[in-house]
């Protein structure tokens, strides 16, 4: 717990995860103002401060208790864990469904390397020595790791390494540097993690409340509420067409004994094709509504 008694949540200051992390926290009902120095945001309706830092620093900030919770890539949390095997330092609570990327091995486009085993005895440049070493060891391939904190993709051209093991999201960076992806070492995405250092009861409860709200936000991602009218006789086929709906509500329609209203939460996207198929099955008065919040 921090001396102010306010919860400190570390998020990326700028980069792939920054905006989406703040958007998620906003959707959890936290209102905050950006401080003038742009290094922190104070929660206006809950005792929470957002600390804006480099994502690479977030695992260590949770491990030493400087911050209580944070959002960063699973790749960073796992790398930190590998580098600090003795420290029970933070728990990764939940993946967050954004910032999807992978740590991948790549070689120069023209290199005669068709499989990972051809890299035996080679030098691999990476910012993730722990994850990289573990992967090659598991495959029984001996490599020399060249640790770099950035610009890893330049290493082959500089003659520093024969291959790289770097994060790939769209693949644009690899392509721009004439590199060809060989194999995925670690599949990653943004995750919410909490320090294992002691927290006051109120703080732990607040973190749990935020985590539950995150679950609620994740649950509605892509979900829709669908309403339609249908002949009672078409109910079975209509239920089959509703994407990811468990048990729709079926209501009588006043003065129309053969027809009903169907309301359902669809956990998958509702495409135009789905609506056209429902119409084809006899549905009418179709409405698709966004869902803002959902609690089980
Ligand atoms: C990663 C990686 C590449 C880029 C790949 O950096 O180091 O530079 O993203 O993305 P692309 O496949 O979409 O081109 P990261 O986002 O982790 O930024 P950082 O290294 O500055 O923290
Ligand atoms: Zn980073």
């Amino acid at each position: 717990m921090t001396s102010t008694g306010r919860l400190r949540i570390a998020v990326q200051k700028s980069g792939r995860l920054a905006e989406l992390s703040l958007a998620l926290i906003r959707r959890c009902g936290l209102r905050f103002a950006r401080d003038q120095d742009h290094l922190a945001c104070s929660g206006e309706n809950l005792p929470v401060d957002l600390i804006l830092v480099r994502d690479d620093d977030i695992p260590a900030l949770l491990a030493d208790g400087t911050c209580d919770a944070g959002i960063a890539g699973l790749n960073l949390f796992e790398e930190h864990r590998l580098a600090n095997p003795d420290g029970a330092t933070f728990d990764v609570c939940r993946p967050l469904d954004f910032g999807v990327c992978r740590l991948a091995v790549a070689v120069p486009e023209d290199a005669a390397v068709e499989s990972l085993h051809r890299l035996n005895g080679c030098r691999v440049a990476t910012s993730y020595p722990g994850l990289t070493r573990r992967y090659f060891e598991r495959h029984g391939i001996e490599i020399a790791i060249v640790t770099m904190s950035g610009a890893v993709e330049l290493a082959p051209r500089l003659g520093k390494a024969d291959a790289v093991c770097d994060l790939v999201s769209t693949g644009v960076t690899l392509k721009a540097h004439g590199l060809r992806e060989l194999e995925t070492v670690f599949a990653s995405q943004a995750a919410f993690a909490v320090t294992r250092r002691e927290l006051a009861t109120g703080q732990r409860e607040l973190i749990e409340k935020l985590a539950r709200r995150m679950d609620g936000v994740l649950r509605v991602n892509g979900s829709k509420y669908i309403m339609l009218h249908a002949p009672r006789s078409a109910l079975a086929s209509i239920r089959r067409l509703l994407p990811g709906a468990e048990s729709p509500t079926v209501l009588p329609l006043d003065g129309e004994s053969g027809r009903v209203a169907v309301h359902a939460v669809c956990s998958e996207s509702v495409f135009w094709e789905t609506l056209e198929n429902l119409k084809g099955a006899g549905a009418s008065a179709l409405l698709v509504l966004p869902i803002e919040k959902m609690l089980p």
Side-chain angles (χ1 to χ4, degrees):
M1 187 180 61
T2 56
S3 54
T4 58
R6 292 172 68 84
L7 203 66
R8 281 186 179 164
I9 301 185
V11 293
Q12 191 186 36
K13 185 176 156 69
S14 64
R16 277 183 305 122
L17 306 183
E19 283 310 314
L20 293 167
S21 303
L22 290 183
L24 172 65
I25 291 169
R26 273 201 199 94
R27 285 185 71 190
C28 290
L30 191 71
R31 287 197 309 275
F32 49 83
R34 222 168 239 249
D35 287 359
Q36 271 163 353
D37 59 6
H38 284 237
L39 295 176
C41 300
S42 318
E44 294 173 339
N45 55 336
L46 285 172
V48 175
D49 289 329
L50 300 184
I51 311 297
L52 308 178
V53 293
R54 283 197 59 194
D55 59 345
D56 312 56
D57 293 333
I58 291 175
L61 290 170
L62 301 191
D64 70 11
T66 305
C67 293
D68 307 307
I71 295 175
L74 283 173
N75 50 298
L76 289 172
F77 289 126
E78 186 66 3
E79 180 67 25
H80 188 276
R81 209 177 58 78
L82 291 174
N84 302 275
D86 305 324
T89 50
F90 51 73
D91 294 304
V92 177
C93 303
R94 46 183 50 60
L96 297 174
D97 271 358
F98 68 87
V100 173
C101 64
R102 56 198 180 274
L103 186 66
V105 179
V107 293
E109 262 153 17
D110 52 7
V113 178
E114 325 71 48
S115 79
L116 206 63
H117 284 268
R118 288 295 290 267
L119 291 176
N120 212 5
C122 288
R123 298 160 303 161
V124 179
T126 187
S127 307
Y128 298 88
L131 287 166
T132 304
R133 185 173 297 112
R134 182 176 72 181
Y135 189 78
F136 279 92
E137 272 176 14
R138 280 181 182 167
H139 287 76
I141 303 166
E142 266 183 50
I143 51 154
I145 290 182
V146 180
T147 303
M148 295 172 71
S149 54
V152 169
E153 58 278 354
L154 290 177
R157 224 189 313 157
L158 296 175
K160 271 178 78 75
D162 310 292
V164 302
C165 187
D166 200 10
L167 279 192
V168 183
S169 169
T170 59
V172 167
T173 306
L174 285 189
K175 219 180 183 84
H177 290 85
L179 298 169
R180 165 166 61 86
E181 202 174 331
L182 210 57
E183 210 156 303
T184 295
V185 166
F186 185 82
S188 188
Q189 57 174 289
F192 182 63
V194 178
T195 186
R196 282 195 187 165
R197 303 255 164 190
E198 201 178 333
L199 291 170
T201 316
Q203 307 247 323
R204 193 55 79 185
E205 278 166 9
L206 186 49
I207 287 184
E208 278 160 17
K209 184 204 280 272
L210 285 174
R212 275 196 304 277
R213 289 186 181 183
M214 279 180 194
D215 286 343
V217 171
L218 295 178
R219 203 171 298 124
V220 298
N221 266 353
S223 295
K224 293 281 184 271
Y225 194 74
I226 187 161
M227 309 202 299
L228 56 86
H229 290 177
R232 199 176 275 281
S233 58
L235 261 180
S237 47
I238 284 184
R239 281 183 72 148
R240 275 196 298 276
L241 289 169
L242 289 171
E246 272 174 23
S247 37
T249 308
V250 179
L251 305 159
L253 281 173
D254 201 22
E256 293 191 58
S257 58
R259 290 171 62 75
V260 289
V262 179
H263 294 187
V265 172
C266 294
S267 61
E268 295 158 28
S269 301
V270 179
F271 298 107
W272 281 110
E273 288 73 17
T274 313
L275 296 182
E276 287 153 5
N277 292 340
L278 284 165
K279 217 167 162 51
S284 59
L286 289 130
L287 274 181
V288 181
L289 309 171
I291 298 172
E292 197 180 281
K293 297 185 177 68
M294 204 193 299
L295 285 179

